[in-house]
Amino acid sequence: THTGLRPMAAPQLPILLLEGKEEKKVKMLLRDAFRYQVDGFSEKKASMWVSALGFEAEDGAQQIKALVKDLQRVISGTLYDDLDRNGTVKLLPKETSKELKILLANSIADFLPKWREQCVQNQVSPPKLVDFDWRVDVASSSNVLSRMMVPKVFVEMTIQKEATEHRQMAGTKNVQFELSKEALGTLVKSLGKIRDQLANIK
């Protein structure tokens, strides 16, 4: 017998996996689907959404990637063919519930102005920060005289590259680096100065 969400995981109808999901999470997934429409979700991002949507761990990542690909199809169709809400609904499977059709169509319509603006900006602007993650590790450092625990900060940034094609979101790349406690302090101080300068601009 099957349990959980497996019966809804039909590859040809992945959008149905959103039936009954919280509105806030559906909107957040739409935003991520647009951000990563060139390169797709990393394993880490997919795993995060497996947990957020309550999918089974065994095949959850595959379900998420199929779902996101389907959402990207609907987003691209609406955005680049300049569709209205009714046009978006026609891109959805006929099996989609009325409630989910309304939620997706209204959410995409709400996001469209910002997405159009981003598509234009991507053609003339430098790379942008898309996502940011960090963790603190403590490593053992020793010499002849002493042994101490040294904290390190590991930072991972997802950067959106410059666009190379008209009407196409640019791809992303991950940048990872390590900071010592001292280097982090210098960075925070510098960012504070940048924040203060921006605050003084009227």
Side-chain angles (χ1 to χ4, degrees), residues 42-56:
S42 65
E43 293 300 327
K44 183 177 181 181
K45 176 66 71 172
S47 178
M48 184 199 77
W49 275 108
V50 167
S51 176
L53 295 180
F55 291 177
E56 295 180 0

PDB file of all heavy atoms in Angstrom, residues 42-56:
ATOM      1  N   SER A  42      19.491  23.512  -6.180  1.00  0.00           N
ATOM      2  CA  SER A  42      20.584  22.676  -5.701  1.00  0.00           C
ATOM      3  C   SER A  42      19.997  21.602  -4.789  1.00  0.00           C
ATOM      4  O   SER A  42      18.833  21.676  -4.372  1.00  0.00           O
ATOM      5  CB  SER A  42      21.590  23.526  -4.920  1.00  0.00           C
ATOM      6  OG  SER A  42      20.976  24.048  -3.736  1.00  0.00           O
ATOM      7  N   GLU A  43      20.803  20.601  -4.455  1.00  0.00           N
ATOM      8  CA  GLU A  43      20.330  19.552  -3.551  1.00  0.00           C
ATOM      9  C   GLU A  43      19.954  20.141  -2.193  1.00  0.00           C
ATOM     10  O   GLU A  43      18.983  19.722  -1.565  1.00  0.00           O
ATOM     11  CB  GLU A  43      21.412  18.483  -3.383  1.00  0.00           C
ATOM     12  CG  GLU A  43      21.693  17.677  -4.645  1.00  0.00           C
ATOM     13  CD  GLU A  43      20.471  16.926  -5.143  1.00  0.00           C
ATOM     14  OE1 GLU A  43      19.651  16.486  -4.307  1.00  0.00           O
ATOM     15  OE2 GLU A  43      20.322  16.803  -6.374  1.00  0.00           O
ATOM     16  N   LYS A  44      20.734  21.118  -1.752  1.00  0.00           N
ATOM     17  CA  LYS A  44      20.466  21.753  -0.458  1.00  0.00           C
ATOM     18  C   LYS A  44      19.143  22.507  -0.476  1.00  0.00           C
ATOM     19  O   LYS A  44      18.340  22.399   0.455  1.00  0.00           O
ATOM     20  CB  LYS A  44      21.611  22.709  -0.106  1.00  0.00           C
ATOM     21  CG  LYS A  44      21.476  23.374   1.255  1.00  0.00           C
ATOM     22  CD  LYS A  44      22.692  24.239   1.552  1.00  0.00           C
ATOM     23  CE  LYS A  44      22.586  24.889   2.924  1.00  0.00           C
ATOM     24  NZ  LYS A  44      23.775  25.754   3.215  1.00  0.00           N
ATOM     25  N   LYS A  45      18.894  23.275  -1.542  1.00  0.00           N
ATOM     26  CA  LYS A  45      17.641  24.015  -1.659  1.00  0.00           C
ATOM     27  C   LYS A  45      16.459  23.068  -1.780  1.00  0.00           C
ATOM     28  O   LYS A  45      15.406  23.270  -1.169  1.00  0.00           O
ATOM     29  CB  LYS A  45      17.712  24.938  -2.867  1.00  0.00           C
ATOM     30  CG  LYS A  45      16.434  25.714  -3.163  1.00  0.00           C
ATOM     31  CD  LYS A  45      16.096  26.713  -2.079  1.00  0.00           C
ATOM     32  CE  LYS A  45      17.044  27.892  -2.074  1.00  0.00           C
ATOM     33  NZ  LYS A  45      16.599  28.962  -1.150  1.00  0.00           N
ATOM     34  N   ALA A  46      16.622  22.002  -2.568  1.00  0.00           N
ATOM     35  CA  ALA A  46      15.553  21.015  -2.715  1.00  0.00           C
ATOM     36  C   ALA A  46      15.235  20.352  -1.377  1.00  0.00           C
ATOM     37  O   ALA A  46      14.070  20.153  -1.023  1.00  0.00           O
ATOM     38  CB  ALA A  46      15.943  19.964  -3.754  1.00  0.00           C
ATOM     39  N   SER A  47      16.278  20.012  -0.622  1.00  0.00           N
ATOM     40  CA  SER A  47      16.084  19.378   0.686  1.00  0.00           C
ATOM     41  C   SER A  47      15.324  20.293   1.636  1.00  0.00           C
ATOM     42  O   SER A  47      14.475  19.836   2.412  1.00  0.00           O
ATOM     43  CB  SER A  47      17.446  19.004   1.281  1.00  0.00           C
ATOM     44  OG  SER A  47      17.299  18.439   2.563  1.00  0.00           O
ATOM     45  N   MET A  48      15.619  21.583   1.570  1.00  0.00           N
ATOM     46  CA  MET A  48      14.915  22.545   2.419  1.00  0.00           C
ATOM     47  C   MET A  48      13.423  22.554   2.116  1.00  0.00           C
ATOM     48  O   MET A  48      12.580  22.564   3.015  1.00  0.00           O
ATOM     49  CB  MET A  48      15.493  23.940   2.206  1.00  0.00           C
ATOM     50  CG  MET A  48      14.895  25.017   3.102  1.00  0.00           C
ATOM     51  SD  MET A  48      15.164  26.693   2.476  1.00  0.00           S
ATOM     52  CE  MET A  48      13.905  26.744   1.175  1.00  0.00           C
ATOM     53  N   TRP A  49      13.089  22.501   0.829  1.00  0.00           N
ATOM     54  CA  TRP A  49      11.679  22.523   0.446  1.00  0.00           C
ATOM     55  C   TRP A  49      10.987  21.177   0.689  1.00  0.00           C
ATOM     56  O   TRP A  49       9.781  21.133   0.923  1.00  0.00           O
ATOM     57  CB  TRP A  49      11.546  22.957  -1.008  1.00  0.00           C
ATOM     58  CG  TRP A  49      11.524  24.448  -1.135  1.00  0.00           C
ATOM     59  CD1 TRP A  49      12.507  25.259  -1.638  1.00  0.00           C
ATOM     60  CD2 TRP A  49      10.477  25.317  -0.708  1.00  0.00           C
ATOM     61  NE1 TRP A  49      12.137  26.576  -1.552  1.00  0.00           N
ATOM     62  CE2 TRP A  49      10.888  26.647  -0.981  1.00  0.00           C
ATOM     63  CE3 TRP A  49       9.232  25.116  -0.117  1.00  0.00           C
ATOM     64  CZ2 TRP A  49      10.084  27.752  -0.687  1.00  0.00           C
ATOM     65  CZ3 TRP A  49       8.439  26.229   0.179  1.00  0.00           C
ATOM     66  CH2 TRP A  49       8.869  27.521  -0.111  1.00  0.00           C
ATOM     67  N   VAL A  50      11.723  20.090   0.621  1.00  0.00           N
ATOM     68  CA  VAL A  50      11.155  18.790   0.992  1.00  0.00           C
ATOM     69  C   VAL A  50      10.631  18.846   2.421  1.00  0.00           C
ATOM     70  O   VAL A  50       9.517  18.402   2.727  1.00  0.00           O
ATOM     71  CB  VAL A  50      12.206  17.667   0.849  1.00  0.00           C
ATOM     72  CG1 VAL A  50      11.716  16.387   1.524  1.00  0.00           C
ATOM     73  CG2 VAL A  50      12.499  17.403  -0.614  1.00  0.00           C
ATOM     74  N   SER A  51      11.438  19.428   3.296  1.00  0.00           N
ATOM     75  CA  SER A  51      11.045  19.560   4.702  1.00  0.00           C
ATOM     76  C   SER A  51       9.898  20.553   4.864  1.00  0.00           C
ATOM     77  O   SER A  51       8.935  20.296   5.593  1.00  0.00           O
ATOM     78  CB  SER A  51      12.251  20.006   5.534  1.00  0.00           C
ATOM     79  OG  SER A  51      11.889  20.232   6.875  1.00  0.00           O
ATOM     80  N   ALA A  52       9.981  21.687   4.173  1.00  0.00           N
ATOM     81  CA  ALA A  52       8.974  22.740   4.328  1.00  0.00           C
ATOM     82  C   ALA A  52       7.588  22.288   3.871  1.00  0.00           C
ATOM     83  O   ALA A  52       6.572  22.658   4.474  1.00  0.00           O
ATOM     84  CB  ALA A  52       9.407  23.980   3.543  1.00  0.00           C
ATOM     85  N   LEU A  53       7.545  21.465   2.815  1.00  0.00           N
ATOM     86  CA  LEU A  53       6.257  21.018   2.280  1.00  0.00           C
ATOM     87  C   LEU A  53       5.824  19.665   2.816  1.00  0.00           C
ATOM     88  O   LEU A  53       4.750  19.175   2.476  1.00  0.00           O
ATOM     89  CB  LEU A  53       6.319  20.975   0.747  1.00  0.00           C
ATOM     90  CG  LEU A  53       6.502  22.333   0.055  1.00  0.00           C
ATOM     91  CD1 LEU A  53       6.559  22.151  -1.454  1.00  0.00           C
ATOM     92  CD2 LEU A  53       5.383  23.295   0.431  1.00  0.00           C
ATOM     93  N   GLY A  54       6.664  19.056   3.654  1.00  0.00           N
ATOM     94  CA  GLY A  54       6.289  17.790   4.277  1.00  0.00           C
ATOM     95  C   GLY A  54       6.310  16.605   3.337  1.00  0.00           C
ATOM     96  O   GLY A  54       5.548  15.652   3.525  1.00  0.00           O
ATOM     97  N   PHE A  55       7.176  16.618   2.331  1.00  0.00           N
ATOM     98  CA  PHE A  55       7.288  15.489   1.422  1.00  0.00           C
ATOM     99  C   PHE A  55       8.104  14.377   2.064  1.00  0.00           C
ATOM    100  O   PHE A  55       8.882  14.612   2.985  1.00  0.00           O
ATOM    101  CB  PHE A  55       7.956  15.901   0.108  1.00  0.00           C
ATOM    102  CG  PHE A  55       7.125  16.804  -0.753  1.00  0.00           C
ATOM    103  CD1 PHE A  55       7.631  17.299  -1.937  1.00  0.00           C
ATOM    104  CD2 PHE A  55       5.836  17.157  -0.387  1.00  0.00           C
ATOM    105  CE1 PHE A  55       6.873  18.138  -2.749  1.00  0.00           C
ATOM    106  CE2 PHE A  55       5.069  17.991  -1.178  1.00  0.00           C
ATOM    107  CZ  PHE A  55       5.594  18.491  -2.364  1.00  0.00           C
ATOM    108  N   GLU A  56       7.957  13.167   1.549  1.00  0.00           N
ATOM    109  CA  GLU A  56       8.726  12.043   2.049  1.00  0.00           C
ATOM    110  C   GLU A  56      10.180  12.173   1.628  1.00  0.00           C
ATOM    111  O   GLU A  56      10.480  12.553   0.494  1.00  0.00           O
ATOM    112  CB  GLU A  56       8.145  10.726   1.534  1.00  0.00           C
ATOM    113  CG  GLU A  56       6.737  10.445   2.048  1.00  0.00           C
ATOM    114  CD  GLU A  56       6.193   9.135   1.513  1.00  0.00           C
ATOM    115  OE1 GLU A  56       6.917   8.467   0.740  1.00  0.00           O
ATOM    116  OE2 GLU A  56       5.060   8.776   1.867  1.00  0.00           O
TER     117      GLU A  56
END
